[in-house]
Amino acid sequence: MKATAPSTTHPVPVSGGKDSSRFWSGLSAALFVPAVLASVVLLLSSVRVSGCVTYGIDCARGLPGWLFLWSTGVAFVAFIVALAAPVPRARQAALAAQLLAEGTALLVILSHYA
């Protein structure tokens, strides 16, 4: 009789699909600066802000810098975590935090001057 060696097949891990959170995190980080510039251009087309820039009347105190800087900083840290985390669940949570922080930064700009 011929003896055969037992098969040493490794089980293939089953995943829930391709995790594209790194792609979306990079895309949202790349589009954040153009979104900030677009919101500033949108604000400059309003009567209040253009009157402030042109004539110096009806000007606000300025952008609450601490809130904008904190939300931008949180978005940057979440971007780094979304790129570096080895676990897909952590990358997805970091992507959600990044999107919320970037949205907060944009809303600070739009709501303060609008």
Side-chain angles (χ1 to χ4, degrees):
M1 286 188 128
K2 210 175 190 183
T4 60
S7 175
T8 58
T9 60
H10 299 288
V12 176
V14 177
S15 64
K18 184 180 178 195
D19 180 36
S20 60
S21 57
R22 287 180 176 147
F23 169 75
W24 290 112
S25 178
L27 183 66
S28 69
L31 293 177
F32 179 64
V33 174
V36 168
L37 294 177
S39 64
V40 169
V41 168
L42 180 68
L43 285 175
L44 285 175
S45 67
S46 72
V47 174
R48 181 177 163 201
V49 176
S50 63
C52 176
V53 170
T54 307
Y55 303 113
I57 57 170
D58 206 15
C59 293
R61 289 184 315 140
L63 184 69
W66 63 272
L67 184 58
F68 179 76
L69 289 177
W70 270 98
S71 58
T72 304
V74 168
F76 179 73
V77 169
F79 169 65
I80 298 300
V81 170
L83 290 181
V87 182
R89 185 82 172 150
R91 286 194 303 263
Q92 292 167 356
L95 174 63
Q98 178 187 358
L99 292 175
L100 286 172
E102 288 177 354
T104 302
L106 290 173
L107 283 176
V108 164
I109 294 171
L110 290 174
S111 66
H112 187 69
Y113 290 113

